[in-house]
């Protein structure tokens, strides 16, 4: 059993932004939480606050840690991988019990994860996946992004079932090199590949941000007057793109069919108002599952390597009048 003490205030000084939930004084680290006096310490390295989804995700994690009696050390990396790596290293230095993080991109994590492994600290990937050696982390908790892309394609095939003409699609892509961007692109292409009428005429990065979604769509609209469909990798970019479409004098949801992913309240409201045609859910409410899994791992239980959250599809054909508030 490894025994080390650190002062919480010393830790705060190391981080650019941190919330310590109930952190105090010295503590004991163990790989098996069988001692009721021990408060499990989880270091969570969030990637940033780029979207409403992310803000909802952060809220879920902070609340779930509090409810589970887990001491949370929380950091944000302002969408920069080097910050996220630095924050994970701080958790290792502090000798937290367990680390969870949402990797901004898929590559470049080997060294820091090897350091965590050597320190005996298990790592949970949440929300996004990484490429490479699966031995460097314990499990992944989040959505299946390939399935989300496929669901977007399935909606399109139903929507244009009776149309013979070519359908011109524009895609607003999330952060390049991130697993949701890669897999939502892949799943969507796989789904529409069996019908030649679907043509992706532009695919532009909007970095999952509303402002960049608006900017990218504004430029695309200047170059094309034949767009039938806009497929957005998240709601924030879709809401930005809708503003650009309206500024160009077009009617979103009618002149251009819009499909988006996340299911945040504003997008569901736009769907109800006919300005979006289909929203694929991607739940950010991962907190309870992360806390439960962290406890299981620390109790020495085996957990599944990939723990997927089930997502739904909301379309213009559904009655959404009874849908409870989304909470993000
Ligand atoms: O990784 C999940 C994606 O990241 C969400 O779809 C998006 O809104 C967020 O920024």
């Amino acid at each position: 059993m490894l025994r080390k003490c650190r002062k919480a205030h010393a830790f705060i000084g190391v981080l650019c932004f941190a919330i310590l939930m109930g952190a105090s004084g010295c503590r004991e680290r163990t790989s098996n939480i069988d001692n009721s006096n021990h408060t499990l310490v989880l270091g969570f390295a969030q990637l940033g606050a780029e979207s409403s989804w992310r803000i909802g995700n952060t809220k879920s994690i902070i609340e779930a840690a509090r409810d589970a009696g887990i001491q949370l050390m929380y950091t944000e990396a302002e969408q920069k991988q080097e910050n996220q790596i630095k924050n994970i290293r701080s958790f290792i230095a502090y000798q937290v019990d367990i680390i969870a993080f949402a990797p901004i991109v898929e590559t470049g994590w080997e060294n820091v994860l090897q350091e965590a492994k050597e320190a005996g600290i298990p790592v949970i990937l949440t929300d996004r996946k990484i490429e490479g050696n699966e031995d460097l982390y314990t499990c992944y908790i989040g959505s299946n992004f390939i399935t989300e892309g496929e669901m977007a394609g399935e909606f399109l095939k139903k929507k244009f079932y009776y149309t013979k003409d070519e359908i011109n699609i524009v895609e607003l892509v999330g952060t390049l090199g991130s697993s949701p961007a890669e897999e939502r692109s892949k799943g969507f292409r796989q789904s529409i590949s069996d019908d030649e009428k679907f043509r992706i005429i532009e695919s532009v990065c909007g970095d999952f941000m509303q402002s960049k979604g608006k900017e990218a769509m504004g430029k695309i609209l200047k170059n094309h007057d034949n767009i039938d469909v806009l497929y957005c990798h998240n709601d924030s970019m879709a809401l930005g793109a809708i503003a650009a479409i309206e500024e160009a004098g077009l009617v979103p949801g009618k002149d251009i069919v819009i499909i988006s992913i996340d299911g945040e309240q504003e997008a569901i409201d736009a769907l109800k108002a006919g300005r979006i045609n289909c929203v694929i859910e991607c739940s950010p409410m991962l907190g309870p599952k992360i806390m439960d899994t962290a406890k299981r791992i620390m109790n020495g239980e085996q957990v599944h390597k990939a723990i997927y959250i089930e997502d739904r599809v909301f379309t213009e054909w559904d009655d959404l009048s009874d849908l409870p508030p989304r909470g993000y």
Side-chain angles (χ1 to χ4, degrees), residues 236-290:
S236 292
M237 291 189 295
L239 293 165
I242 285 173
I245 291 169
E246 285 170 338
E247 279 174 21
L250 297 169
V251 182
K254 297 207 166 46
D255 294 331
I256 299 178
V257 169
I258 301 178
I259 308 170
S260 175
I261 299 179
D262 274 357
E264 68 174 72
Q265 189 62 54
E266 215 180 321
I268 295 296
D269 292 344
L271 174 64
K272 287 182 183 169
R275 296 160 81 223
I276 292 183
N277 305 80
C278 174
V279 177
I280 318 292
E281 182 181 44
C282 175
S283 176
M285 305 306 188
L286 304 178
K289 186 56 96 185
I290 295 169

Side-chain angles (χ1 to χ4, degrees), residues 50-51 53-54 127-128 180 184 208 234 262:
E50 75 283 6
S51 62
W53 188 99
R54 185 68 53 200
D127 163 33
R128 298 186 181 180
R184 286 170 183 169
F208 287 126
N234 83 341
D262 274 357

